[in-house]
Amino acid sequence: MVTWKVTSEESVAEAQEGKAGAAIVAIEIGKLRIWVLADSGATKSLVSERLAIELELDIKPIEEGIIFKSAGSDILQVVGEAKMSFKIGNSRMRERFYVTRRLTQDVILGG
């Protein structure tokens, strides 16, 4: 079993106050602009299942036993992974995201 630690509500609040290793930034996915949590303390990038479905991302199954825990030790259910292209400022990026349920932000960009 593999366990990774990701952010929680407390980290979101800290990021909005300019604390911790996190920041709220705008990204563009196609014509959609959304605010996401860029968290250098998160080891992986995550996207909510709701947003992944809304964006019609190709969600692929993942190996058994991958578990994500929030900084508050809440377990986040991983439903798969998807590649997502997005733009931050003038930079275009394509990253692998783990698709999870019960995510506090629609997107968490890991460091």
Side-chain angles (χ1 to χ4, degrees):
M1 174 173 41
V2 180
T3 304
W4 286 296
K5 191 171 191 174
V6 296
T7 192
S8 68
E9 290 93 353
E10 294 85 23
S11 294
V12 173
E14 288 175 352
Q16 291 169 336
E17 294 172 11
K19 299 176 186 174
I24 303 295
V25 297
I27 67 170
E28 294 176 22
I29 305 168
K31 294 185 179 192
L32 179 66
R33 183 178 179 166
I34 61 173
W35 293 94
V36 305
L37 180 67
D39 187 348
S40 61
T43 57
K44 304 291 179 192
S45 293
L46 309 176
V47 63
S48 70
E49 182 181 33
R50 183 200 62 77
L51 183 61
I53 291 169
E54 182 180 325
L55 294 172
E56 299 179 350
L57 297 180
D58 183 20
I59 302 171
K60 307 262 189 210
I62 58 168
E63 65 182 85
E64 294 285 327
I66 293 180
I67 296 173
F68 288 93
K69 286 187 179 179
S70 71
S73 295
D74 294 328
I75 293 177
L76 303 173
Q77 183 180 2
V78 180
V79 297
E81 66 180 9
K83 294 215 174 167
M84 184 166 64
S85 298
F86 58 97
K87 186 176 164 186
I88 298 179
N90 293 326
S91 299
R92 295 187 185 278
M93 306 174 123
R94 182 167 174 84
E95 271 193 52
R96 178 177 69 173
F97 288 80
Y98 287 95
V99 180
T100 64
R101 293 191 177 127
R102 295 185 45 207
L103 199 57
T104 58
Q105 295 282 39
D106 278 330
V107 176
I108 297 174
L109 293 175

